[in-house]
Amino acid sequence: MIDRSRVSTLDDFDPEEPYLVFRGTISNMHTVASGRSQRLEAEFCDGTGTVLLVWFQGIRWIKESLRPGVVYLVMGKPQLFGSTYQIAHPEIEPASQDSDQQNHPFLPVYHTSEKAKQRGLGTKAIARLTDTLVRLLPPVMEETLPRPVTTKYSLMARAEALRRIHYPDTLEQWQQAVGREKFEELFYHQLDYQFSRSTRRSHSVGRVFGVVGEQFNDFYSHRLPFPLTGAQKRVVREIRDDMRTGRQMNRLLQGDVGSGKTLVALLTMLIAIDNGCQACLMAPTEILAQQHLAGFRRLLEGQPVTVELLAGSLKASQKRQIKQHAAEGEIDILVGTHALIEDDVKFCRLGYVVIDEQHRFGVQQRAKLWAKSTIPPHILVMTATPIPRTLAMTLYADLDCSVIDELPPGRQPVRTSHGTDSHRALLFAFMRRQIAAGRQVYVVYPLIKESENLDLKDLMDGYDSITRSFPLPQYQISIVHGQMAPEAKAYEMDRFKRGETHIMVSTTVIEVGVDVPNATVMVIENAERFGLSQLHQLRGRVGRGGGSSYCILMTKDDLSATARKRIETMCATTDGFAIAEADLRLRGPGDLQGLQQSGLPDFKLADIVDDEPLVCATRDEVRMLLDSDPDLRLPEHAMLRRHIAQKQNLPQWEQIS
Ligand code: ADP
Ligand code: MG
């Protein structure tokens, strides 16, 4: 929307504004032939400067309708061509005729395209249409929001808002209209999500894990490698309570990197086993699945719990055997990668599914796991990429949430610094000192799918330079990248884990979950090419064992503004939630890693970053409303019920009674 009363001058307009209004006269109108086509040009002068108006279409009509000497309002965005400003296909109207201006100083602006404009659907033409439509609106329309809500938040009435969002009298009126429309948009989104959650809760059957038995208790009393943090205890309790209600659990577990989610997963899987069920854990990479397998086996040594791995790299015969054992119920915990969701993987009594590092899995993939049991298994989705609050509220409004907001004791925040090529000698010297002190170092290169070969070359060049600077036999170096065979990768990871190699040069395959407590230095090359959440993940690989840890972000010298901001954010904080918020602000929600496929709603007006208060308010209102009227039977909720019924093909109460 623009304020027509705010006329800009040609000698001093704001080039950042998408749409400007000028007031002046036209002169020197002429057609110019270029090739087979023609264009019409005219000079437009407002006393402070001149701009060239250009038309490629409708030339004859424009020539006839515009008069020199008449004062016009010209609207559009001047664009610089060479040394002169031009406006192509400007909106134009006589200024004098504009008695409307007093009544309607604001003029709506609509998104349109060059093509649509050429066909006569410029923003002014759309405005004429909306003007007609708005006039057709009945003065009173049925409300779409419950009365107590509109009263509490002083929301503009619906009919009023629909009119005023196009034709406000004051700026404030327009803001109120937009506010109301945003509220409605968010409110209905929350209603959809929360209603489906609450119906699932009241109607879906889940397995009842009524007891906490021998396996859990044995492990808890005798085998815990360290005392649980308060947050771990609380989350285990939340999950346990959820599992015995008889409803299917759908829970999101957020916890920063290194907060100890794996142990929570294991403890709660033991509850499933105590109740006669099988559990499975799905990890995003084979390295991580291997690591979980080894970790679980170590922790469970001597306990009668069978843990197996199903992953792409197994021989066909091994896979067949594992699948058979899973189907026969001989495996208690099956760890795996995507291989777990293949159709021929069957369980005898799958009761619990844990999904590690959720942001790598799409909604449909998760749904396939759901379907592996007649009674749907309980689901725990774990993520270390903290999800900004508003995003969690919108995206996961249908999941319950647990948060581990405490790191195990003794962790020191990783010290992060920024370097460029000129610091490389210093960096290598620092790495040598750390290695001399018995520590290990990661050096990570980005790998971006489109240019895999180029990236691999970066990695290999880096590896060469490191082998030259860290010669054998004093220094042992591992290398891991995506094009190596899984066994070779696992072998190199193992050597590094056992401390046999000092430096691990790799692509981001080690990004997620890899746990080598003795590694204290993380060097990230070409750090400007990583997103914030990835940098945070990578940094989370160090600082796990106590002792000081370091993250060095190496970049080229000249950085784009956002890249610089990302690096600065990383150097300034280690708080995953702060980083997630910064990421959301820098990139916008549509662009967050892995979120595209996760079904982020496409709001027309609401913006989950800027409208956080509205997101919170609508969530709370819908929650209270569903608490008091879970089936939306109250007459004042009839319109909400109708909306849900339409969406979900539910019976409408009106029809039943
Ligand atoms: P993440 O939440 O990132 O998956 P992990 O589960 O891999 O974290 O745990 C990170 C490290 O912290 C592991 O080495 C793990 O053994 C250790 N750890 C987990 N819980 C505790 C605890 N309560 N006290 C001390 N160390 C812990
Ligand atoms: Mg983990």
Side-chain angles (χ1 to χ4, degrees), residues 225-229 232 255-263 291-292 356-357 384 408-409 411 513 515 517 541 544:
F226 19 63
L228 295 185
T229 62
Q232 282 172 318
D256 215 336
V257 272
S259 60
K261 293 183 293 296
T262 319
L263 207 53
Q291 181 180 293
H292 282 314
D356 198 12
E357 304 303 348
R411 295 278 168 80
D515 189 25
R541 297 309 105 214
R544 317 197 120 218

Side-chain angles (χ1 to χ4, degrees), residues 202-275:
S202 49
H203 301 302
S204 86
V205 268
R207 293 182 187 271
V208 184
F209 291 170
V211 297
V212 170
E214 201 185 325
Q215 301 307 337
F216 181 93
N217 287 328
D218 182 18
F219 186 85
Y220 196 84
S221 322
H222 305 301
R223 293 164 192 273
L224 267 188
F226 19 63
L228 295 185
T229 62
Q232 282 172 318
K233 277 189 205 158
R234 172 170 44 78
V235 169
V236 169
R237 212 175 311 126
E238 283 169 3
I239 296 171
R240 190 194 59 200
D241 289 346
D242 219 2
M243 285 173 157
R244 56 174 165 221
T245 56
R247 296 187 302 248
Q248 184 213 5
M249 176 178 85
N250 265 288
R251 190 167 279 278
L252 176 72
L253 173 56
Q254 294 193 64
D256 215 336
V257 272
S259 60
K261 293 183 293 296
T262 319
L263 207 53
V264 170
L266 179 59
L267 279 162
T268 49
M269 286 196 285
L270 291 176
I271 298 179
I273 294 165
D274 277 335
N275 287 274

